[in-house]
Amino acid sequence: MTPPTPGAPASPPASGTVPSPYEPLALYGPDFAADPHGHYRRLRAQGPLGRVRIAPGVDALLVTDYQAAVDLLRDTDTFSKDPRAWQAGIPEDSPVLPVLGYRPTALFSDGAVHTRYREAVNDTLALLEPHLLRAYAAQAAQQFIATFSATGTGDLIAQYARLLPLRVFSACFGVAPRDSERLLHGVAGMMDSAANAAAAYADLVAVVAGLVAERRVRPGRDLTTYLLAHPAGLDDDEAVRQITLIISAGHDPTTNLIGNALLRMLSDTGYGGSLHGGAMTAREAIDEVLWRDPPLANMGAHYPRHDTEFHGVPLRAGQLVLVSFAAANTQSLPAVSDPAVRSGDGAHLAWSAGPHRCPAKQPALLMAMTAIEQITSQLCDLELAVDPSELIWRPGPFHRAPAHLPVRFTPLDTHP
Ligand code: HEM
């Protein structure tokens, strides 16, 4: 029997037959969340691209090969970021549309349109002065730590990592404190790709639209006001969409970078499984996470502009091709476990590559470093309260995100 072409669309199996070895592998739900790297290993057996299902009825090809990932991310002649043709065949209520569905933003545009949005985003992010960003992040960290430091226990996701980036974004964009909670639910709901994802995204947009309307009439000293005055001349909807993109693309991955790096520091037996002795630095933990468990695990959605062949795999015009940054990074795991390799951040794809690479690497790193340094210096005998194998991971195909990180520590005496 001729084996199926790797990554090629397989015909549905006749009932009663053994399923094709290349049936789409589900990239969502508890099984995937519990063992993503096992899934990537199985997908690699198909070649550089594997067939995946990212939600009920929504299939994609996933690039798991490092070189193929780099080639795709840089090849703007063959691949577009505009999902509209693909989206026409997807149910309107699909839980992946809040992440993948078209909006007039940098993430979903090509060429000159992308350049216009990207310049507005880049110039706005450039106003995030490192010392101010560090100060905002440190102040937020101290406030959140104070809410549980006297108790001796805490959840470093719910009470810390999940709150911090959004608090910083709210301060920078001038979001009213009363709206911060809504932003938080909006971003988390959209990334989990659960049944309420569309409503969560709609509420996120509503909060940002209110902010933009207010700053049009009452400018402030914040990034929203700056973006509205940018020479790109964004209209209200375009401004709302770029801010929503910055907040959603920024908050959830930064939360997960903080959470995953703290988990790495608290559970790495090679480092004593403890922060005592301080062998693993925040930067080392962050680098390991960016290599092994990048917060945006599978993303980089692209659509072939025409029927083509890519790394030996036939592709149809408009079909969804995703990049597994996690699989590409870990293609040769032994090299990654070498400290000399893992301490470098040059070659991994956690920030993507090509024209759509993350524009916020430095601010994201600064926030994560500050968050980790603040908590590990204040609660210096922090340890995990459960075995790492008992941790629950958030569902969804796109992110790598612990749902909780229960810890214990010697309570701080908060009385003067
Ligand atoms: C301050 C925090 C962050 C902000 C404001 C931010 C913002 C953005 C924006 C606006 C884009 C779209 C760029 C474009 O299409 O031209 C983007 C893309 C991306 N960001 Fe970030 N980001 C942040 C943190 C992170 C973190 C922590 C990670 C993971 C380590 C990350 C990884 C990525 C990746 C992989 C992409 C490409 C997504 C794709 O190809 O679909 N970002 N980011």
Side-chain angles (χ1 to χ4, degrees), residues 81 107 114 118 249-250 253-254 290 299-300 350-351 356 358-360 367:
K81 291 285 286 176
L107 193 57
H114 175 247
R118 176 85 184 202
T254 307
L290 292 173
M299 191 70 86
W351 309 104
H356 290 269
C358 182
M367 266 195 267

Side-chain angles (χ1 to χ4, degrees), residues 73 81 99-100 105-109 114 117-118 121-122 125 128 133 165 169 173 242 245-258 289-290 293-302 322-323 325 348-365 367-368:
L73 293 166
K81 291 285 286 176
V99 172
L100 297 180
T105 69
L107 193 57
F108 302 104
S109 41
H114 175 247
Y117 291 146
R118 176 85 184 202
V121 168
N122 281 349
L125 291 173
L128 289 171
L133 191 61
F169 286 125
F173 281 92
Q242 304 327 302
L245 170 67
I246 293 172
I247 292 177
S248 58
H251 170 71
D252 215 67
T254 307
T255 292
N256 299 332
L257 184 54
I258 297 167
V289 165
L290 292 173
D293 276 319
L296 278 179
N298 307 299
M299 191 70 86
H302 283 77
L322 292 166
V323 176
F325 303 118
H348 66 66
L349 295 178
W351 309 104
S352 189
H356 290 269
R357 69 192 171 283
C358 182
K361 178 177 161 186
Q362 293 311 332
L365 280 174
M367 266 195 267

